Amino acid sequence: MPFITTTDGTEIFYKDWGPREGQAIVFHHGWPLSADDWDSQMLFFLARGYRVIAHDRRGHGRSSQTISGHEMDTYAADVAALTDTLNLKGAVHIGHSTGGGEVAHYVARAKPGRVSKAVLVGAVPPIMVKSDANPAGLPIEVFNGLRAALVANRAQFYIDLPTGPFYGFNRPGAKVSQGLIDNWWRQGMMGAANAHYECIKAFSETDFTEDLKKIDVPVFVSHGTDDQIVPYADSAPLSVRLLKQGTLKAYPGLPHGMLSTHPDIVNPDLLAFVEGKKIEGAD
C-alpha cells in the first residue's frame, strides 16, 4: 500500500487511481472515517478519465496512530506533503465535513499553482461551536457529549451515529442501508481513539473564517438542509459569503451523509463544477 512519510515521521496512507496526465481530484474524508468513504465519488470520476486521490488523515484509517498533530495546522501540512510528493498541479480538492475544514485550511495555504478549485460538502466551516461571535452555533456541551460517548463505548457510539443522524436513518420513512452503517463502523474502528477524540476539538472549535477569506479559487459549497451533524443555517450560507468565488447549492431534505445516500444527485453536480458547467439549482 502507498504511504508518504511526513517530517515528524508519520506515515500517511493514500490511494492514487487513474491516468497521471488526467485532471487530479483530491478527496478529504470526514471524522472519524477514512479514504474509503469516497468510494462512490472516486469510482464515478475514475470512469470519466480523472485521476482520483484520497488519503487517510493521521490517526484515521491506515495512517499512523500518532500521539500528536491532531489539529488543522498539521492536517493541512500533511496534505501539503502529499501534494508535494505527487507534484499535483491545478488539483481540485473536495472535502466532506471535517474534510471540508481541512480543504479550507490547506487551500488557503497552498503553494501557487497547486489548486484550481475546491468543494465543501456538508462542511464544518466557518466554525461550529457556539460563541458570542457565533451565536447560532452548537453549544460546547454537544461536543463534550461526543467525547464522553467515545470514551464510554466507542464501538457502540460508532454504531449509533450512522444508524441515526449521520445518514438521516432516524427520520420517518428513511431507506436504511445496513451496509452503509456497517461500513461507517468499519472505517471508524480502524482509526485511533486518541486521534478521534482530539479531532472533535479540531473540527468543532477551529475558526476557518480567515481561511475562507483568503481563498481565491472557485469554491462550490454543497449542503443538505436536513443535516443533523453540521446544521445548514450556521455553515454553508455563512461560508459562501466569505468566499471570493463561492457557489452555494442547498439540497432540500438531504442528510449529512448525502454523498453516500444520494450519490446519484450529488455526483453530477460535482462533475458539473469540476468541468466548469452550470450547476442546476445553485445560487
Side-chain angles (χ1 to χ4, degrees):
M1 295 192 294
F3 290 86
I4 63 160
T5 302
T6 66
T7 54
D8 70 351
T10 300
E11 291 189 316
I12 301 293
F13 168 81
Y14 69 96
K15 306 176 185 182
D16 185 359
W17 303 343
R20 294 299 176 266
E21 69 277 12
Q23 167 67 57
I25 303 178
V26 184
F27 296 92
H28 303 244
H29 64 79
W31 173 94
L33 304 173
S34 74
D36 294 353
D37 202 43
W38 289 105
D39 282 351
S40 295
Q41 286 69 44
M42 291 184 73
L43 291 172
F44 176 83
F45 280 99
L46 181 66
R48 289 158 178 79
Y50 288 87
R51 179 182 180 182
V52 290
I53 299 156
H55 70 290
D56 291 353
R57 188 172 303 118
R58 65 170 56 210
H60 295 65
R62 290 140 289 205
S63 292
S64 296
Q65 299 198 2
T66 61
I67 194 65
S68 62
H70 305 298
E71 29 70 29
M72 284 293 164
D73 286 349
T74 303
Y75 293 161
D78 290 347
V79 174
L82 176 64
T83 58
D84 283 350
T85 299
L86 300 181
N87 194 25
L88 300 182
K89 297 176 181 176
V92 179
H93 286 260
I94 303 178
H96 175 234
S97 195
T98 298
E102 183 178 274
V103 165
H105 215 58
Y106 164 71
V107 173
R109 292 160 175 73
K111 295 177 181 176
R114 286 278 187 237
V115 179
S116 62
K117 296 181 179 180
V119 182
L120 309 180
V121 184
V124 296
I127 180 171
M128 289 191 74
V129 72
K130 183 177 182 179
S131 66
D132 291 341
N134 184 38
L138 295 173
I140 189 67
E141 289 78 12
V142 171
F143 306 106
N144 289 339
L146 298 179
R147 281 182 274 261
L150 188 155
V151 170
N153 188 340
R154 185 166 70 120
Q156 184 61 49
F157 178 41
Y158 285 6
I159 294 174
D160 295 341
L161 203 55
T163 301
F166 193 92
Y167 293 119
F169 291 159
N170 55 343
R171 296 304 199 201
K175 184 179 179 181
V176 177
S177 167
Q178 190 62 46
L180 285 181
I181 295 169
D182 293 348
N183 192 38
W184 202 101
W185 184 89
R186 177 190 67 83
Q187 292 176 69
M189 295 306 292
M190 288 173 66
N194 70 311
H196 293 174
Y197 185 93
E198 297 295 338
C199 188
I200 293 171
K201 181 179 180 66
F203 75 67
S204 63
E205 297 184 38
T206 303
D207 188 345
F208 300 96
T209 298
E210 296 306 315
D211 292 330
L212 295 172
K213 290 179 179 178
K214 290 178 184 174
I215 295 172
D216 56 9
V217 299
V219 180
F220 175 33
V221 181
S222 163
H223 212 112
T225 62
D226 193 32
D227 192 324
Q228 301 173 68
I229 304 297
V230 182
Y232 171 79
D234 194 50
S235 52
L238 304 184
S239 290
V240 80
R241 290 176 200 156
L242 296 167
L243 292 161
K244 294 183 176 72
Q245 300 185 67
T247 298
L248 172 64
K249 181 171 180 178
Y251 294 81
L254 293 197
H256 188 64
M258 64 182 186
L259 288 160
S260 297
T261 57
H262 296 82
D264 55 323
I265 295 175
V266 179
N267 287 354
D269 287 345
L270 297 178
L271 179 64
F273 176 72
V274 170
E275 294 186 342
K277 298 177 181 176
K278 178 178 174 57
I279 303 170
E280 295 296 331
D283 297 330

